[in-house]
Each structure stands twice: as structure tokens, then as C-alpha cells.
Amino acid sequence: MPKKSAGSPQIEKLIRKLDTSGDNSAKKVIGQLVRLGKPAIPALLRAAKDESERRIQKWSLEALGSIGDRRGAGVLIASLQDERMSVRLHSLRGLGKMKWKAAAKHIVPLLKDGSGGIRVNALYALMALGDRSVLAAVRKTLGDPQWYVRQNACLACGIFKDRSARLRLRSLAREDERKAVRLAAVEALRKIEN
């Protein structure tokens, strides 16, 4: 079906299917919305702002990012401040999929979020965006209290080839209590030094 023939009722019906607790079901619907593309943006923007439909809201945020249209960026960035962790999480995922580097500065504050899951997803999004201007903030997460955040901070430093992180990475490679962090630090050092 050509993108231009995608009618609003079809789009609205798909968005209603985002009212699911199943990740796989939501991802299938998001895939269909991505195929419809830009015509789905107005309805997704409305759904992403509608707090009365929590599940639809969070999946709509991810769908907006997956389509990649910059009209969704404002709502995704605003949702990073939401009090609900699930909304922040799906906003991060959406921004990571959108690959809009300008969003990096809005994601950085979430590296200090009270939820380790949000902090690690902020790292994932920053790695996807590839904006080196956030290196100092990423480097600070090498000392995060959660091992899985430290592990991904090591991976991020390796991906960014952050030479300024070498000393801290060497320390983590030798001394971190978690093997996964030690291995990630070794891998990051290998990437930086090659």
C-alpha cells in the first residue's frame, strides 16, 4: 500500500493496538506505523501527549522516534522530564532511534536519573546518537553505583574512542567487583588504543 493512501482511520486503528502490555505486539504495530511513515505523525503526536492512555502514550513515543520525522522531536524531548519512568524510557528509546544528535544535550541529565534502568537507556541513546560533545558526562557514569550502568559506560567510552577515559577504564579493568564491567573496560581500552 503506498504511503499516501494510508487513511486516518487505519492509522487510528493501529494506534489503538498500542494499548498492550506486550512488547512484541507493540513492536509489530510500530513496524506497521513505520511503514506508513509520515502520514502517521499527526495522530502519533496526539497519542504521545495523551496521558489518559498510558500504554498508547509510551509506545507512541517510541513509534515517533522509529519513523524519524523531526516533528516528533519536541514531544520526545519534553517527555524526558515526565515523572513516570516508562514515559522517560520510551522517550529515550525514541530519540535513540531518531538519531537526531541535537537531542544528546537533553538526554545527558538522565545519566543522573534515580533509576538505573533510565541511566543505562540514556547511555544506549547517547551511543546511538554518536555526539561526542557528551563525553565528559558519559565518563562520569564509569563510577555509577549500578554495575550494568558502569558496564555500558565502558562500552560507550570504547565506541566514542574516549582517550580521556583510559586511566579510569584501566582501573575498572583491574579492580571492579563485577566481571562484566572488567571485561567491558578491557574491550573499551582495546577499541581506544587501536
Side-chain angles (χ1 to χ4, degrees):
M1 172 188 281
K3 288 184 181 181
K4 288 187 177 178
S5 66
S8 183
Q10 178 190 8
I11 293 167
E12 293 292 342
K13 186 177 178 184
L14 281 173
I15 290 173
R16 294 296 318 152
K17 287 184 179 182
L18 292 174
D19 189 8
T20 177
S21 58
D23 288 8
N24 289 336
S25 298
K27 289 186 188 300
K28 284 179 187 174
V29 174
I30 290 171
Q32 292 173 307
L33 288 164
V34 168
R35 284 189 290 282
L36 292 172
K38 293 184 180 196
I41 297 294
L44 282 169
L45 285 169
R46 285 190 301 277
K49 295 175 190 175
D50 185 356
E51 295 182 4
S52 69
E53 301 278 358
R54 300 293 194 192
R55 289 190 289 209
I56 292 174
Q57 180 187 24
K58 71 178 185 175
W59 291 117
S60 293
L61 290 163
E62 198 163 328
L64 282 168
S66 297
I67 292 171
D69 188 296
R70 296 291 188 262
R71 289 178 288 173
V75 123
L76 287 166
I77 288 169
S79 296
L80 293 174
Q81 305 296 318
D82 197 280
E83 65 184 22
R84 284 162 288 133
M85 187 181 80
S86 64
V87 172
R88 295 192 310 275
L89 172 69
H90 288 275
S91 297
L92 283 168
R93 289 180 179 170
L95 286 167
K97 290 175 181 179
M98 188 177 277
K99 305 234 187 217
W100 183 45
K101 282 189 178 185
K105 66 184 177 202
H106 300 283
I107 293 170
V108 165
L110 291 170
L111 293 172
K112 295 179 182 178
D113 193 271
S115 163
I118 293 294
R119 294 192 306 273
V120 78
N121 276 279
L123 283 169
Y124 295 151
L126 292 171
M127 285 187 266
L129 296 178
D131 183 352
R132 294 182 55 83
S133 72
V134 301
L135 287 179
V138 168
R139 203 175 307 121
K140 287 179 183 175
T141 62
L142 290 168
D144 195 275
Q146 294 292 338
W147 70 269
Y148 52 88
V149 177
R150 292 193 308 276
Q151 176 189 27
N152 282 283
C154 291
L155 297 175
C157 288
I159 287 169
F160 285 118
K161 295 189 180 273
D162 182 6
R163 299 181 68 76
S164 298
R166 288 181 298 179
L167 185 62
R168 182 71 176 124
L169 287 167
R170 287 185 190 118
S171 174
L172 289 170
R174 286 189 312 270
E175 301 167 7
D176 197 273
E177 62 191 42
R178 295 301 279 246
K179 183 177 181 180
V181 177
R182 294 192 304 270
L183 292 173
V186 168
E187 177 64 19
L189 286 165
R190 187 188 64 74
K191 286 182 177 179
I192 291 167
E193 292 169 356
N194 285 335

